Amino acid sequence: MQKFRIKPRDRAQELVLAYLNEHSLEEGQRLPTEREFSARWGINRCTLHSAIVRLEKEGLLTSRQGSGTYLAPPKLKKNLHDLYSFSETVAAQKRKLETRLLSFQRVECDKHLSSRFQMTLGHPFYKIARLRIVDQVPMMLETSYIPVDRCPALEQYDLEHNSLFRIFEEKYGILPTTGEEKISVTCTTDEESAVLDVPAGSALFWIISETYDEQGKLIEYCRTAARPDRLQLTTVLEWREST
């Protein structure tokens, strides 16, 4: 039987994780240098660097050029069972949210929107693109589609400092009650890389969401490109007795 041997990079990664656990580092604390780690464990520096880069991509560590490697802030957690606005999710975890309105325009209903909203081609829609920044880090790019006749004159409201769900409820009497999300993985386009401040071709969560009102009518269709190194998607599993 062939004996299993752990790869050098995996061993280096396990040693770094063990160090973090043993020393209970807090967010923003600096790690020893790669040279110090290499001497401590007798590991090739290239191998150690590769392990640290992997942990950076996973969002656990962050590097500052000319300064060193630090413990990164914890990922924002989004429970897939909760129909909360992103603003509420961020506030509940005591994080700081900034929203930038990248574009707000009117478009005509195309075949894709028609099939989702059951509306005729040409029906007017709002197309709203917003960048969500958490703790000064660009985290997700949201593009929402909303029928104009459901929220007339929506452009008069401040979408950078107000929750879209709150505007639905307080200004239009529309209560979001249910939703569906489909999640896949994709890679950044050049535009997404620039906006989210990540290298071209980086992995992204691709989230398609639909939000419905009390009558079961679709209010908003949204496409979201989110950084997996900064966002953690969670859910709750419940045991059900088989019949």
Side-chain angles (χ1 to χ4, degrees):
M1 180 182 294
Q2 185 176 5
K3 187 177 180 180
F4 174 77
R5 299 182 66 180
I6 188 171
K7 295 180 180 179
R9 184 178 66 173
D10 293 337
R11 177 173 178 268
Q13 181 172 322
E14 288 183 358
L15 287 169
V16 174
L17 291 173
Y19 177 90
L20 297 177
N21 183 60
E22 178 184 353
H23 291 79
S24 301
L25 295 189
E26 297 181 356
E27 171 189 335
Q29 282 192 284
R30 184 175 179 273
L31 276 67
T33 65
E34 292 181 10
R35 182 187 298 275
E36 291 171 324
F37 273 151
S38 180
R40 177 194 296 256
W41 298 320
I43 294 177
N44 180 281
R45 284 189 63 184
C46 290
T47 300
L48 182 61
H49 178 74
S50 179
I52 289 177
V53 168
R54 180 193 284 182
L55 292 173
E56 288 175 2
K57 290 180 178 179
E58 293 177 1
L60 184 63
L61 303 178
T62 182
S63 289
R64 303 174 192 170
Q65 188 172 7
S67 178
T69 303
Y70 297 79
L71 186 65
K75 293 184 180 182
L76 183 75
K77 296 180 180 179
K78 184 179 187 300
N79 191 322
L80 299 177
H81 277 274
D82 294 333
L83 187 61
Y84 294 141
S85 69
F86 189 68
S87 303
E88 292 172 322
T89 298
V90 174
Q93 296 176 50
K94 303 186 186 307
R95 311 286 285 272
K96 182 180 178 182
L97 173 66
E98 177 187 352
T99 299
R100 293 180 189 170
L101 183 63
L102 302 181
S103 66
F104 188 114
Q105 55 186 309
R106 292 196 181 203
V107 298
E108 293 185 351
C109 179
D110 57 16
K111 291 182 178 180
H112 184 72
L113 293 175
S114 176
S115 65
R116 290 184 177 273
F117 285 87
Q118 301 301 304
M119 291 182 173
T120 58
L121 296 175
H123 193 97
F125 272 76
Y126 296 118
K127 179 182 178 181
I128 306 166
R130 295 183 296 171
L131 176 63
R132 309 293 228 159
I133 304 168
V134 178
D135 296 336
Q136 301 182 330
V137 177
M139 182 172 290
M140 60 174 58
L141 176 61
E142 297 179 340
T143 304
S144 299
Y145 296 85
I146 303 165
V148 170
D149 55 2
R150 293 299 308 272
C151 304
L154 181 59
E155 59 270 18
Q156 69 180 300
Y157 299 109
D158 184 354
L159 297 181
E160 291 191 333
H161 299 94
N162 291 288
S163 162
L164 188 55
F165 278 18
R166 184 173 299 165
I167 292 174
F168 284 158
E169 185 175 358
E170 296 181 357
K171 305 301 181 181
Y172 297 100
I174 300 172
L175 183 62
T177 56
T178 60
E180 296 180 3
E181 288 188 332
K182 296 180 180 179
I183 302 167
S184 58
V185 177
T186 185
C187 294
T188 56
T189 63
D190 290 342
E191 178 184 1
E192 290 166 345
S193 295
V195 171
L196 293 171
D197 192 26
V198 295
S202 297
L204 288 178
F205 287 132
W206 181 244
I207 306 170
I208 301 296
S209 58
E210 297 180 346
T211 304
Y212 298 84
D213 64 13
E214 294 174 294
Q215 287 73 44
K217 292 184 177 180
L218 182 57
I219 310 168
E220 177 199 25
Y221 167 67
C222 184
R223 302 169 180 168
T224 301
R227 290 176 53 172
D229 63 328
R230 291 290 179 261
L231 179 68
Q232 183 179 67
L233 302 176
T234 65
T235 189
V236 177
L237 301 179
E238 295 181 355
W239 181 83
R240 293 183 181 179
E241 186 174 358
S242 58
T243 57

